[in-house]
């Protein structure tokens, strides 16, 4: 199948403004993807009123609801710095993906809840330990996540396997994770 191969780019100082929930100022991917060896710096999502921006550096968003479509997003060997969102996923936001791998990234000095955020697509419908088809799965491995305003990692409606990362000096009421 088709894969978005995105590598060796400087993705810098992009600002996305929408009145209602802007997604992905730096990059937005909605299919299989391999994102590696990029610099994401100073990207900003801004919304109005009660609507807030998400996924300032990179958002991977695939599907919504009960579709049988499956997608894989790999985010590896990137640098995420000074990205800002008014809501969540300031650096990396895996939103409504079935499977994600995030490894060997540096995530520093980003602003917004959850520098790395993994979110399922089932809202309140992920019942039970294994959930339903809307629960997403991510492996977070060997990343350095430091000095972010907001938690280093946030997980909701998803299952995350987290190994060999450094979460240090991230500032959120809930701590690093």
């Amino acid at each position: 199948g088709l894969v978005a191969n995105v590598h060796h780019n400087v993705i810098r100082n992009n600002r996305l403004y929408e009145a209602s929930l802007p997604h992905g100022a730096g990059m937005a991917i909605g299919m299989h993807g391999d994102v590696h060896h990029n610099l994401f710096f100073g990207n900003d999502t801004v919304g109005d009123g009660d609507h807030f921006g998400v996924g300032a550096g990179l958002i991977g968003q695939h599907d919504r609801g009960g579709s049988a479509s499956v997608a894989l997003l790999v985010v590896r060997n990137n640098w995420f710095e000074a990205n800002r969102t008014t809501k969540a996923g300031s650096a990396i936001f895996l939103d409504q993906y079935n499977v994600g791998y995030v490894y060997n990234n540096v995530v520093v000095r980003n602003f917004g809840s959850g520098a790395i955020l993994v979110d399922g697509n089932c809202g309140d419908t992920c019942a039970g330990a294994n959930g339903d088809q809307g629960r997403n799965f991510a492996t977070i491995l060997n990343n350095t996540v430091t000095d972010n305003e907001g938690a280093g990692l946030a997980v909701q409606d998803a299952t995350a396997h987290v190994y060999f990362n450094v979460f240090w000096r991230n500032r959120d009421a809930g701590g690093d994770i």
Side-chain angles (χ1 to χ4, degrees):
L2 299 174
V3 175
N5 289 305
V6 182
H7 55 90
H8 297 91
N9 295 288
V10 174
I11 301 157
R12 181 181 177 125
N13 296 332
N14 297 289
R15 182 175 175 137
L16 177 61
Y17 170 82
E18 291 179 9
S20 178
L21 198 58
H23 285 60
M27 180 182 300
I29 294 181
M31 59 188 294
H32 295 297
D34 186 10
V35 179
H36 60 93
H37 295 94
N38 299 289
L39 168 64
F40 292 84
F41 185 90
N43 300 293
D44 191 6
T45 56
V46 180
D48 273 343
D50 292 335
H51 303 287
F52 304 101
V54 296
L58 164 67
I59 188 169
Q61 189 172 38
H62 177 78
D63 200 344
R64 175 95 179 134
S67 171
S69 178
V70 175
L72 168 66
L73 180 60
V74 178
V75 180
R76 59 189 172 98
N77 302 310
N78 298 287
W79 187 284
F80 293 87
E81 183 174 356
N83 298 289
R84 178 183 303 270
T85 182
T86 50
K87 188 170 183 182
S90 59
I92 303 168
F93 189 0
L94 300 181
D95 187 21
Q96 304 168 5
Y97 253 83
N98 300 94
V99 180
Y101 292 96
V102 177
Y103 63 93
N104 297 339
N105 297 286
V106 174
V107 179
V108 295
R109 293 182 289 281
N110 296 283
F111 306 92
S113 298
I116 301 173
L117 179 66
V118 181
D119 185 19
N121 68 356
C122 52
D124 302 356
T125 63
C126 287
N130 294 322
D132 61 11
Q133 295 178 355
R135 185 169 297 280
N136 296 328
F137 300 89
T139 299
I140 314 294
L141 173 69
N142 199 37
N143 298 283
T144 300
V145 183
T146 66
D147 293 317
N148 294 287
E149 290 291 334
L153 173 65
V155 179
Q156 55 193 33
D157 295 331
T159 299
H161 301 278
V162 182
Y163 308 100
F164 308 113
N165 299 282
V166 174
F167 292 96
W168 184 43
R169 289 193 328 218
N170 299 293
R171 290 168 294 285
D172 188 70
D176 279 336
I177 300 176

